[in-house]
Amino acid sequence: MTTALFEPAAPDLYAVRTSAPGPDGALPLTDRMLREAPSGEIFGLSQNVGMGADPARSADPPALVLSTQGGMRDAEGRPLALGYHTGHYELGTIASVVARELTGAGLLPFAGFVSDPCDGRSQGTTAMFDSLPYRNDAAIVMRRLVRSLPGRVATVGIATCDKGLPAMMMALAGTGDRAAVLVPGGVTLPPEHGEDAGTVQTLGARYVHRLISLEEAAQLGCVACASPGGGCQFLGTAASAQVVGEALGMAVGHSALAPSGEPVWLEGGVRAARAAAAMAAAGATLHDVLGQDSVHNAMVVHAAFGGSTNLLLHIPAIAHAAGLRRPTQQDWLEVSRATPRIVSVLPNGPVHHPTVRAYLAGGVPEVMLHLRRLGLLRGSARTVEGTTLDERLDAWEASERRTRFREVLSTRGIDPDDVVLSPERAAEWGVRRTVAFPRGSLAPEGSVVKTTAIDPSRFDADGVLRFTGPARVFTSEKSAVAAVKEDRIRGGDVIVLLGCGPLGTGMEETYQLTSALRHLPIGKEVVLLTDARFSGVSTGACIGHVGPEALAGGPIGKVREGDRIRVEIDTGSLTGSIDLVGTADEELSPEQAEALLARRGPAPGLAPDAALPDDTRLWAALQQASGGTWGGCVYDVEALLPLLGSSRSSTATTAPPTSTTPSPA
C-alpha cells in the first residue's frame, strides 16, 4: 500500500531539464561597478534578468511595491484561494497598475507582500489575541523588506485594513529616508438591498433574541460584502486609518475611501506611482513630509470624521516610527475639544451613509477645507505631491474633480453637504464631538469613550450622561457575550469586562459584545467598562482602554459583582469619571471607596487567558515597558535596553530620541 506514495501525479514528471540557455543579452556592467560595487549589487542584476527583466533595464533605479495582498485569483478574477478578507483580496490589481506606472517612469519595480488578518473574522475567537500584536510584528517585517532592497529610490505601500494599514504606515514612516507614498486600499461597496458589514456581525445575537429568522440571517450575511475588494463600508478602524494616512500627507489627495475595483480606485494607484517617481527624481523623502504638524493634522481630521478609537493606538505608533513626539492624552483632549465632527456616515450618523458616499462628497480634502476655514489645520505641512497642505487644498477647491464627484452623488439623490457637513450644519443637527476621556477611582490613568456612539436620549439637557448601576463582572468576553444572549443582563447594569488588556488577551477587540448590545432593546440602557479595546463600528456607552489594566494592578481589576459604579461623561468638556460609589450592601464615600480598593485583591478568576500565545505575552511585556496603551503599544528601544540590562545603549552613538513616553493628562 505504501508504494502508492510515489505514484506519478502528472504525466510529464520525468521530462526534467538539468540546464537552460539563460536569458539573451548582457548585463549593463561598467568598469567602475566591477571594481567598486558590492557583490550583492552585481548578483542582483543576474537575479533581475533571471526573473525576466530586460538586461538593458536591469540596472534601472529600483522601486518597491509593498502590499498586504492576500488570496489568489485566476486571470478572470475567480478565486483560486481566498484571502482573509476583502480588504486585501484585490490589492494585486492596483499593485499591477502601480508597477506599470513606475516602469513607465524609468524605474525597475519590485514587489513584496506581508498579508494581514481580518479583525471581523477574528471576533470572539482566540485569533483576536494576535490582532494588535500583529501590527508591530508586521511593521518590523515590512521595514526589513524595505531595507532589504538597499538600492531602492522609492517605496509605494498598499494596504487597507485594521492592522495591515497601520503597520504599513509605521513601516513607511520608519524607513522614510527615501521617497515613499501610501496607497489606501479603499472600501467595499454596500449591497443594494441588505445590511452593512458591521450590522451583519450581529446576526447571532439578533437571532437568539428572535429579532430575525434563520432565513433572513442567511440572506443578509450573503450579500453584505457586495464587491470583492476594499475595507468595510463603515468608518471603523480600516476607514479611519485610510483617512489618517491621507491627512498625514503620506497618500495623494482624495485617495482614502475610494471604492475598490472601480476606475477611480485604480486611478489612485497611477497618481501614487507618479508622486513616488517625482519624489525620487527630486531627491525628496518621506521624512520631508512627516512632522509634528502632520501628526496634528491627522488628529484633527480623525476627530472631524468621528474615527475609531483604535487610532489612539495607531497615530502615536506612526509618530514614534517617524521619530516624532507621540501625542498624549492631553493632546487628544485638546484636539477633540477644538474640532467639530462634520461627517455623517456609518456607524455614528446622524444619517448612516456608507463611506463610499463620504468619498464622493469630497472625502478628506473636502473635510479639510472646512477645518482650514476654522483655523484648525497647519497648512504648511508637506504632502507626497511635493506641495504644502494649503496648496493641495487650494487645488482641490478649484478642481473639476471635486465638482464632478459631488455631482455623481447628487444625481443619486444624496446632497453631498448632508454627508460632509459644514460646521454650521453639524451644529444645527446637534452632532456631538467624537471622544471623551473619563478618569476616576477605577481609571486613574484614564480611559476613552466614543461619545458619538452613545444614544442621544441617554444625555441630560446639559449634555452629560449620568449613570449609576450594579457591576456585572466578567473575566472573559465569551462569558459576557453568553450573559447577553441568555438575557442575564438587565437595563441599568454596568458590565465590567476585566483582564482583556494587553497582558490578558493582547488587548483584544470586543465587538462581539458591543455589537450584541447595540442591536438589543436593552443596549442603550447598559454601560460597558473594560481594559480591552473596541471595533471602530462599536456603539453604545462603551468605555475602553481603562488604565492601568486589571492585570497590571489597576483598580478596575478589584471590582466585585454587585458593586455600585457611577459613570459620568460630559460631551462639553469631553471629560468624565468612573468611580466606585458603593458595594452591594452600602454606599461609600470617595475615601471609603479608595480604602476598600486598596484592601481588596484581584477579582476571582482574573488571569491571563490560558490560550494567550507566548508571542503575545512577549509583545505585551515589551509595549508595557515602552509607554503602554497610551504610548501606542510600541517597542521603544531606548526605554527597553536599560531594562534588559544592556551594557551598551544605542544612545551612545546616536542623538537622543525625539519620541517621548506620554504622561497621563
Side-chain angles (χ1 to χ4, degrees):
M1 187 170 179
T2 56
T3 57
L5 293 174
F6 296 101
E7 285 295 316
D12 57 351
L13 77 162
Y14 299 119
V16 180
R17 297 191 302 168
T18 59
S19 64
D24 292 330
L27 298 179
L29 297 175
T30 65
D31 176 80
R32 182 174 180 178
M33 289 175 65
L34 290 172
R35 291 181 182 277
E36 300 178 6
S39 63
E41 183 177 326
I42 297 171
F43 180 65
L45 301 183
S46 298
Q47 287 279 312
N48 296 348
V49 174
M51 289 184 284
D54 180 351
R57 297 201 57 180
S58 61
D60 285 357
L64 177 60
V65 182
L66 184 62
S67 82
T68 57
Q69 178 184 340
M72 295 186 294
R73 307 196 302 171
D74 66 16
E76 285 72 42
R78 294 184 297 261
L80 296 172
L82 298 175
Y84 286 74
H85 52 88
T86 59
H88 63 204
Y89 186 62
E90 283 191 324
L91 293 187
T93 307
I94 199 168
S96 298
V97 169
V98 170
R100 284 193 290 269
E101 196 67 27
L102 292 173
T103 300
L107 304 179
L108 185 64
F110 291 74
F113 309 93
V114 181
S115 197
D116 56 343
C118 174
D119 276 5
R121 188 182 294 272
S122 300
Q123 292 295 337
T125 77
T126 55
M128 189 52 71
F129 299 170
D130 288 292
S131 172
L132 185 54
Y134 160 89
R135 183 205 66 177
N136 289 28
D137 295 344
I140 291 172
V141 173
M142 290 173 180
R143 285 195 296 266
R144 292 193 188 280
L145 285 175
V146 171
R147 293 192 296 263
S148 294
L149 195 65
R152 73 193 183 284
V153 297
T155 302
V156 177
I158 309 172
T160 307
C161 281
D162 294 31
K163 301 305 175 297
L165 179 52
M168 183 66 75
M169 289 191 277
M170 291 166 64
L172 296 180
T175 54
D177 59 337
R178 317 280 173 91
V181 177
L182 176 72
V183 179
V187 299
T188 192
L189 295 176
E192 294 177 355
H193 304 286
E195 297 178 342
D196 68 273
T199 303
V200 297
Q201 293 183 52
T202 69
L203 292 176
R206 286 184 286 159
Y207 175 73
V208 299
H209 283 269
R210 300 180 181 178
L211 300 176
I212 57 172
S213 68
L214 177 60
E215 293 74 18
E216 288 171 327
Q219 179 61 29
L220 291 169
C222 186
V223 300
C225 298
S227 57
C232 293
Q233 309 107 332
F234 48 82
L235 196 76
T237 305
S240 300
Q242 292 188 35
V243 164
V244 161
E246 185 175 331
L248 283 165
M250 298 176 72
V252 298
H254 200 229
S255 58
L257 310 182
S260 179
E262 299 296 301
V264 68
W265 177 69
L266 296 172
E267 184 258 5
V270 172
R271 291 194 293 134
R274 290 176 179 174
M279 286 181 75
T285 72
L286 191 60
H287 282 164
D288 298 331
V289 172
L290 292 177
Q292 289 302 151
D293 287 350
S294 310
V295 174
H296 169 84
N297 290 340
M299 294 169 68
V300 170
V301 171
H302 170 267
F305 267 85
S308 164
T309 55
N310 281 318
L311 272 295
L312 275 68
L313 301 171
H314 300 320
I315 290 178
I318 297 164
H320 178 263
L324 302 170
R325 185 182 70 84
R326 286 177 274 178
T328 65
Q329 282 186 57
Q330 187 63 34
D331 294 327
W332 285 109
L333 180 59
E334 291 173 1
V335 165
S336 298
R337 284 173 172 167
T339 308
R341 181 168 67 91
I342 59 173
V343 180
S344 181
V345 293
L346 287 162
N348 301 322
V351 180
H352 292 157
H353 295 289
T355 44
V356 65
R357 292 181 185 171
Y359 179 79
L360 294 173
V364 173
E366 191 69 19
V367 171
M368 293 183 101
L369 283 179
H370 291 298
L371 298 174
R372 182 172 68 168
R373 181 163 59 85
L374 295 177
L376 296 175
L377 297 177
R378 297 175 182 173
S380 61
R382 306 295 300 180
T383 73
V384 291
E385 293 106 329
T387 69
T388 65
L389 174 61
D390 275 336
E391 290 168 338
R392 173 192 275 185
L393 295 182
D394 289 341
W396 169 256
E397 190 168 23
S399 68
E400 179 187 8
R401 183 187 187 98
R402 179 189 184 218
T403 302
R404 294 284 298 276
F405 276 120
R406 287 167 62 83
E407 287 175 352
V408 168
L409 195 56
S410 295
T411 60
R412 287 161 170 76
I414 305 296
D415 183 349
D417 292 329
D418 286 347
V419 182
V420 175
L421 314 175
S422 68
E424 294 78 15
R425 181 171 294 189
E428 290 172 6
W429 286 12
V431 178
R432 295 190 304 276
R433 284 167 166 76
T434 301
V435 292
F437 300 89
R439 304 177 74 83
S441 63
L442 296 180
E445 291 183 0
S447 64
V448 64
V449 59
K450 200 170 183 180
T451 58
T452 57
I454 302 174
D455 190 291
S457 67
R458 299 300 300 162
F459 293 96
D460 294 339
D462 58 359
V464 179
L465 179 147
R466 297 177 175 88
F467 190 103
T468 302
R472 302 299 310 281
V473 179
F474 303 93
T475 56
S476 73
E477 186 193 26
K478 182 178 180 180
S479 61
V481 170
V484 171
K485 288 186 174 182
E486 295 166 8
D487 276 334
R488 290 187 280 118
I489 301 298
R490 297 286 178 264
D493 285 347
V494 179
I495 299 175
V496 183
L497 180 58
L498 308 175
C500 297
L503 297 173
T505 64
M507 201 176 188
E508 65 180 320
E509 193 173 271
T510 55
Y511 181 58
Q512 184 184 213
L513 176 58
T514 58
S515 64
L517 290 170
R518 175 187 182 185
H519 292 281
L520 298 179
I522 64 163
K524 69 178 184 180
E525 302 171 13
V526 172
V527 169
L528 170 62
L529 306 179
T530 182
D531 47 10
R533 57 190 178 87
F534 301 122
S535 166
V537 74
S538 292
T539 56
C542 303
I543 303 172
H545 301 215
V546 171
E549 65 174 297
L551 285 165
I556 191 175
K558 300 180 179 182
V559 174
R560 298 292 191 269
E561 185 79 10
D563 280 351
R564 303 286 294 175
I565 296 177
R566 183 179 63 214
V567 175
E568 292 190 358
I569 300 170
D570 188 331
T571 59
S573 65
L574 299 182
T575 58
S577 59
I578 312 168
D579 294 303
L580 177 67
V581 295
T583 67
D585 302 317
E586 61 178 339
E587 293 185 3
L588 298 173
S589 68
E591 294 76 19
Q592 289 172 323
E594 182 179 0
L596 177 61
L597 289 170
R599 291 195 305 270
R600 279 181 175 173
L606 179 62
D609 194 286
L612 193 68
D614 285 347
D615 298 332
T616 300
R617 293 175 60 207
L618 178 60
W619 165 84
L622 294 176
Q623 65 82 34
Q624 184 77 12
S626 300
T629 300
W630 291 103
C633 295
V634 301
Y635 301 152
D636 187 335
V637 174
E638 302 305 331
L640 289 168
L641 288 180
L643 295 176
L644 294 173
S646 173
S647 61
R648 182 173 180 271
S649 171
S650 62
T651 55
T653 56
T654 61
T658 55
S659 175
T660 60
T661 300
S663 59

